[in-house]
């Protein structure tokens, strides 16, 4: 595989992991007031999110440093896009 394919796959993989992680966090917090056992709901969701995220990062790490860096970059970039969209926070302070 060439470097462009590796970087693209890593970015996409990191974006999907980020979408799952932070989307799951958002869903956990939305449904938290409606549950009868909020601690179990929160910590169960936390365990599931981190298990999937860390396992996904581990799989990316098996393909080399370039894939790992691209995956972490994709995770971070998606976080910077997803969090403001879900919360309605404007991150562009100067505009």
């Amino acid at each position: 595989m060439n470097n462009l394919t590796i970087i693209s796959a890593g970015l996409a993989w990191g974006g999907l992991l980020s979408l799952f992680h932070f989307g799951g966090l958002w869903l956990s917090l939305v449904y938290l007031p409606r549950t009868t056992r909020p601690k179990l709901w929160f910590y169960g969701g936390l365990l599931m999110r981190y298990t999937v995220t860390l396992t996904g990062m581990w799989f990316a790490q098996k393909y080399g440093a370039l894939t790992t860096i691209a995956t972490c970059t994709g995770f971070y970039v998606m976080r910077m896009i997803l969090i403001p969209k879900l919360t309605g926070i404007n991150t562009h302070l100067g505009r």
Side-chain angles (χ1 to χ4, degrees), residues 20-51:
F20 178 82
H21 187 83
F22 293 109
L25 174 62
W26 181 75
L27 284 174
S28 292
L29 294 177
V30 165
Y31 288 112
L32 192 65
R34 301 178 194 152
T35 62
T36 56
R37 299 176 72 182
K39 285 184 184 179
L40 179 65
W41 179 263
F42 180 77
Y43 288 117
L46 179 85
L47 182 64
M48 185 176 67
R49 284 192 323 271
Y50 275 100
T51 300

Side-chain angles (χ1 to χ4, degrees), residues 13-86:
W13 184 244
L16 287 173
L17 288 175
S18 182
L19 185 65
F20 178 82
H21 187 83
F22 293 109
L25 174 62
W26 181 75
L27 284 174
S28 292
L29 294 177
V30 165
Y31 288 112
L32 192 65
R34 301 178 194 152
T35 62
T36 56
R37 299 176 72 182
K39 285 184 184 179
L40 179 65
W41 179 263
F42 180 77
Y43 288 117
L46 179 85
L47 182 64
M48 185 176 67
R49 284 192 323 271
Y50 275 100
T51 300
V52 170
T53 302
L54 292 175
T55 303
M57 291 290 184
W58 179 71
F59 278 122
Q61 184 258 339
K62 291 179 102 179
Y63 289 99
L66 190 59
T67 307
T68 304
I69 292 169
T71 302
C72 291
T73 303
F75 190 88
Y76 181 74
V77 168
M78 182 60 84
R79 177 187 169 263
M80 296 305 292
I81 294 170
L82 187 66
I83 296 296
K85 294 287 183 192
L86 289 177

